[in-house]
Amino acid sequence: MPSPREIAQSVRSFTRKHNSWFKDSIPLIASENVMSPAAREVMNSDLHNRYAEGLPGKRYYQGNIFMDEIETICESLAKEVFSCKFADVRPTSGTVCNLAVLMAIAKPRDKMTTVALSDGGHISHAKIGATGLRGVKTFNYPFDEDRMNIDVQGAMRLIREVKPKVALFGQSVYLFPTPLDEIKDVFSEVGCTTWYDGAHVLGLIAGKRFQDPMRQGMDVVTGSTHKTLPGPQHGVILSDLAKDGLESSLRRGVFPGVTSNHHLHSVAALAVTLAETKEFGEAYAEQIVRNAKALALALHTRGMDVLCEKHGFTESHTLVVDVEEFRGGAVVAKSLEAANIIVNKNLLPWDSSPIRPSGIRLGSQEVTRLGMKEKDMDSVAELIARVARGEDPETVKADVVELKRSFTKVHYCFFEGEEAYDYPSYDGDL
Ligand SMILES: Cc1ncc(COP(=O)(O)O)c(C=O)c1O
């Protein structure tokens, strides 16, 4: 039986191993990113140890003099970056945002239209997740598999038929903007509240390189702040408060609804990230999309079945590859992992078995943050194709490590060029 000291030591050791593994790996999970040095600095501060229920100036705890300043800055930066009247920066993740919004705008047995899980919708939009927990009934939009997007006529028909309390949009597999302008007449016709989950594309929205759901009339926008927006694992709720009572119900949904303390260190790191987004966000978002398109094309020219060729593969950070011919998503994702290329298996709309997905999902946002450009996407595509074609992952791994050596520093931020994988550590074993 290992001693407590040995147990803690093994956790330290696994953490170090994880760090060096990722330093040597190509990270292509579409929902991840690395924080900037300045954001990491405040994330590691004493703020992590504190409590601050409520809002600045109206707290249930003492000790928040500086936290009030930080949260006020964070909220006004969020309103500025997303050009809106209201921001709540307290939710501790995208799912927590979604729970808070469900508390605010829907009641048990209300109806909500959503994208199906198999079409790239998120688990928090589904019966088995936060939406089911709130007792809300879901109805899925018909999906256009050719465009990997919701079908405009079908969505309008569904909304007219169901007359939902809430129409929710947004996906975890998000290749192209949702056709909100095409659908929007039906929203006022049925009088539903509109909600856009921008978890994946928040950084692209901030960088003006995707649709702008707020300008397209969405009542509420939610998002994670650690995917294309390269901040801490946290969430944000945005609104222009076009509907009466929305501000107070959203505030109540967050606290006391679904949070108590709201992770103060993350709010500070989010404030730094939003300040950096103001300065570098547009250049970053532009390069993310360029890299996603370049990676898609480079894989396609190597004979891989990247979806939506006819439509330019992608307009976001994400691309999806059907790898059924290479023994399916699970096998390919595992083999890529053995070569230090980190991706996830992904269900495609035509898959019949949820446990045997035929696709993989790739995202360009993190490698872009680490300084990769279009020509590097060609090198990455070659490494992926070699693994998919059955080359020994160990051989490919040596080339992955070699390529990654030039991409371990963080870009599009203050203190640009600092190492992404360093973390504070104490010498010696426990
Ligand atoms: C569309 C969508 N919404 C919400 C979430 C949940 O975000 P979080 O992991 O921050 O809870 C995700 C996560 O990937 C997502 O893709």
Side-chain angles (χ1 to χ4, degrees):
M1 183 76 175
S3 70
R5 193 171 284 265
E6 285 164 338
I7 294 169
Q9 181 53 37
S10 69
V11 173
R12 287 179 84 208
S13 151
F14 284 133
T15 307
R16 285 190 183 148
K17 282 185 185 157
H18 170 90
N19 247 58
S20 17
W21 181 32
F22 267 70
K23 189 170 182 168
D24 283 344
S25 299
I26 297 175
L28 293 169
I29 302 272
S31 57
E32 298 180 352
N33 217 320
V34 285
M35 272 200 296
S36 74
R40 288 176 81 193
E41 180 190 77
V42 296
M43 188 84 176
N44 273 332
S45 69
D46 179 72
L47 290 169
H48 171 267
N49 304 321
R50 306 298 153 206
Y51 258 70
E53 288 174 351
L55 288 165
K58 289 182 227 150
R59 302 292 195 193
Y60 293 78
Y61 291 81
Q62 298 312 120
N64 291 138
I65 293 173
F66 299 109
M67 188 56 215
D68 282 3
E69 301 285 344
I70 293 167
E71 197 168 314
T72 305
I73 291 171
C74 190
E75 215 179 275
S76 48
L77 276 170
K79 288 193 269 191
E80 202 183 322
V81 166
F82 295 102
S83 307
C84 59
K85 294 191 181 131
F86 170 89
D88 198 313
V89 296
R90 296 172 299 170
T92 51
S93 75
T95 300
V96 170
C97 288
N98 291 353
L99 261 174
V101 171
L102 283 162
M103 293 280 288
I105 64 175
K107 289 201 260 329
R109 287 183 292 284
D110 277 347
K111 297 177 194 167
M112 184 162 87
T113 48
T114 64
V115 179
L117 287 181
S118 55
D119 297 331
H122 187 249
I123 204 153
S124 61
H125 307 176
K127 194 175 167 197
I128 54 167
T131 297
L133 207 62
R134 181 66 173 143
V136 168
K137 289 194 212 153
T138 56
F139 299 82
N140 295 143
Y141 303 113
F143 201 71
D144 180 344
E145 291 175 6
D146 177 54
R147 294 180 173 273
M148 287 294 281
N149 211 333
I150 61 176
D151 174 75
V152 172
Q153 294 308 323
M156 291 176 84
R157 210 176 316 116
L158 181 80
I159 293 170
R160 282 196 179 105
E161 264 166 38
V162 170
K163 298 194 177 37
K165 177 82 177 293
V166 180
L168 169 60
F169 300 94
Q171 287 147 246
S172 301
V173 181
Y174 220 159
L175 304 183
F176 300 101
T178 303
L180 297 175
D181 291 336
E182 290 83 335
I183 299 173
K184 72 177 171 207
D185 285 350
V186 86
F187 302 146
S188 45
E189 217 177 288
V190 305
C192 57
T193 301
T194 52
W195 170 13
Y196 181 97
D197 182 344
H200 260 265
V201 288
L202 206 61
L204 302 181
I205 295 170
K208 304 184 174 40
R209 198 55 187 78
F210 206 65
Q211 66 191 141
D212 185 344
M214 208 73 74
R215 250 42 55 205
Q216 292 176 291
M218 291 288 103
D219 291 316
V220 183
V221 173
T222 51
S224 311
T225 56
H226 47 267
K227 303 183 196 297
T228 51
L229 192 84
Q233 295 234 356
H234 202 71
V236 65
I237 301 176
L238 308 163
S239 177
D240 261 339
L241 304 177
K243 290 225 169 11
D244 285 347
L246 201 48
E247 177 165 13
S248 58
S249 50
L250 288 172
R251 289 288 194 208
R252 275 200 312 276
V254 176
F255 176 82
V258 298
T259 57
S260 138
N261 187 40
H262 53 277
H263 302 186
L264 313 185
H265 55 309
S266 303
V267 175
L270 177 58
V272 171
T273 306
L274 288 168
E276 291 176 327
T277 299
K278 264 173 65 111
E279 188 131 336
F280 309 99
E282 289 192 26
Y284 177 45
E286 176 67 29
Q287 193 61 48
I288 290 175
V289 179
R290 280 170 180 268
N291 282 355
K293 285 174 175 289
L295 182 57
L297 185 61
L299 288 167
H300 172 76
T301 40
R302 284 168 176 81
M304 297 193 70
D305 185 5
V306 186
L307 301 195
C308 297
E309 181 199 351
K310 263 194 290 179
H311 310 292
F313 303 112
T314 182
E315 281 301 327
S316 73
H317 60 304
T318 304
L319 49 136
V320 179
V321 191
D322 185 337
V323 289
E324 189 54 30
E325 64 180 300
F326 305 108
R327 289 178 297 145
V331 171
V332 170
K334 268 272 176 216
S335 308
L336 287 169
E337 184 184 51
N340 281 15
I341 300 171
I342 314 295
V343 309
N344 64 279
K345 56 180 184 270
N346 208 93
L347 211 56
L348 300 182
W350 46 88
D351 281 338
S352 50
S353 159
I355 51 166
R356 208 188 163 283
S358 51
I360 53 172
R361 182 186 68 162
L362 313 177
S364 64
Q365 74 295 335
E366 190 169 344
V367 288
T368 305
R369 178 83 154 157
L370 295 169
M372 288 195 183
K373 295 274 168 44
E374 288 93 321
K375 67 175 176 5
D376 308 304
M377 294 300 101
D378 201 60
S379 314
V380 171
E382 177 60 21
L383 294 164
I384 293 173
R386 281 170 57 191
V387 176
R389 286 188 212 117
E391 191 173 326
D392 179 5
E394 277 299 320
T395 326
V396 180
K397 184 166 148 178
D399 294 336
V400 167
V401 173
E402 179 58 30
L403 174 68
K404 185 63 189 304
R405 203 160 285 168
S406 313
F407 301 102
T408 62
K409 295 177 167 38
V410 193
H411 298 267
Y412 306 99
C413 58
F414 306 130
F415 300 126
E416 168 140 14
E418 286 294 317
E419 281 292 328
Y421 300 93
D422 287 350
Y423 72 104
S425 68
Y426 302 97
D427 285 339
D429 286 352
L430 292 173

